[in-house]
Amino acid sequence: MSEIPAENKEVGIHTTATDAHVPRETPKGSYLALLSLAALGVVFGDIGTSPLYALRECFHGPHALPGGPTPENVLGVLSLIVWSLLIIVSIKYVIFILRADNKGEGGILSLTALLNDFKPSGKKERRVIVFLGVVGAALIYGDGIITPSISVLSALEGVKIANPNVSTNFIVYGTVAIIVLLFLVQRTGTGVIGALFGPITLVWFLVIGALGISEFAHNPMVLKAVNPYWALEFFHENGLFSFFIMGSVFLVVTGGEALYADMGHFGVRPIRLAW
């Protein structure tokens, strides 16, 4: 993946820190498939795990549902998850936000750079715009700090579920070791990361997809969650407490911003195809 001919680049896949942004023709065929696989590993690793711990948080902890995982509550939460993914990721990001690029680049910092060409009418308008740019940049830096630790930690917590004898220290130190290793490898460039994690992420999605299909066969009632009625009924039954649950449900879309932030690495078409 790291040795990609220049004529095949759509928006300059960044295989090293020195790669230049050079717009090219839309990738096709096998090259499009390779870019989509790499995007799968780099862009979708986080959002591919987020729904799992988001669902757990809805029924555990200080803000868990009082009634517990009743069939109605499960369908309501699942419906909220499904429609959050559809509205925020499929519609907002994939259809609309990916159109708002800065010469093929995405992310809040690229949007902030567009302010150089903006001529505000007064000091007040300039201050508001600069403030929004700073807030957006702060959020993306905060997300870069929080998301890796939460994602890896939640994944390793699954080991304790499979084997209760595993100590908490092992999970914490293991998380730190994995994050340090990931950041050491990350400097090698997007091409290497995509080639390494693309196949791994693909296997991950195939496995959880197969497990999901097998569970559907045992309990097809869960497919009712596609109907937004259950989400609306959940709000009707739980009132104000539903908004606390939405704080947990919103975790399912963490990582969705990577679709836009990493647009310059892969291009719009591979990311949309991978999604």
Side-chain angles (χ1 to χ4, degrees):
M1 281 300 298
S2 59
E3 297 295 329
I4 298 175
E7 63 270 13
N8 283 333
K9 292 184 180 180
E10 179 196 19
V11 288
I13 179 170
H14 297 178
T15 55
T16 67
T18 58
D19 282 344
H21 165 73
V22 182
R24 298 290 178 180
E25 67 274 8
T26 302
K28 300 176 182 178
S30 60
Y31 181 64
L32 175 60
L34 285 174
L35 272 182
S36 299
L37 181 61
L40 196 67
V42 175
V43 179
F44 296 98
D46 181 20
I47 199 170
T49 57
S50 297
L52 299 180
Y53 61 76
L55 181 62
R56 179 184 181 277
E57 290 303 312
C58 292
F59 297 102
H60 294 80
H63 300 297
L65 276 169
T70 63
E72 292 77 15
N73 284 342
V74 170
L75 285 175
V77 170
L78 287 178
S79 186
L80 289 172
I81 289 175
V82 168
W83 284 95
S84 294
L85 289 170
L86 285 174
I87 294 173
I88 296 178
V89 181
S90 295
I91 297 177
K92 175 186 173 181
Y93 276 103
V94 174
I95 296 178
F96 294 106
I97 299 297
L98 288 181
R99 299 171 181 262
D101 65 287
N102 181 2
K103 299 178 181 178
E105 298 288 343
I108 185 64
L109 297 181
S110 294
L111 285 181
T112 304
L114 291 174
L115 294 177
N116 292 327
D117 301 324
F118 180 74
K119 305 298 182 184
S121 58
K123 289 184 178 181
K124 184 177 181 180
E125 186 177 9
R126 176 179 289 275
R127 288 173 181 172
V128 171
I129 294 173
V130 171
F131 174 75
L132 292 176
V134 171
V135 170
L139 289 175
I140 199 67
Y141 280 117
D143 179 69
I145 294 172
I146 296 173
T147 299
S149 58
I150 295 298
S151 298
V152 177
L153 185 63
S154 64
L156 275 184
E157 283 179 341
V159 177
K160 192 172 182 65
I161 295 175
N163 184 3
N165 294 324
V166 174
S167 67
T168 302
N169 287 338
F170 172 82
I171 294 175
V172 174
Y173 295 143
T175 299
V176 173
I178 291 174
I179 290 176
V180 170
L181 180 63
L182 288 174
F183 275 91
L184 287 175
V185 175
Q186 189 177 26
R187 67 184 180 86
T188 59
T190 305
V192 174
I193 298 296
L196 177 63
F197 286 98
I200 294 175
T201 308
L202 177 62
V203 171
W204 162 255
F205 282 130
L206 290 175
V207 169
I208 61 175
L211 292 174
I213 291 173
S214 67
E215 291 301 317
F216 289 155
H218 290 94
N219 193 357
M221 176 184 174
V222 75
L223 293 175
K224 290 183 177 181
V226 177
N227 187 342
Y229 162 81
W230 293 100
L232 297 174
E233 182 65 16
F234 180 84
F235 274 96
H236 178 262
E237 292 295 328
N238 293 279
L240 183 62
F241 195 82
S242 302
F243 290 94
F244 291 105
I245 299 301
M246 279 301 298
S248 298
V249 169
F250 192 75
L251 292 173
V252 304
V253 297
T254 57
E257 71 282 350
L259 277 74
Y260 181 59
D262 292 334
M263 179 168 56
H265 294 281
F266 304 100
V268 174
R269 193 178 181 192
I271 290 177
R272 284 176 171 164
L273 181 62
W275 174 249

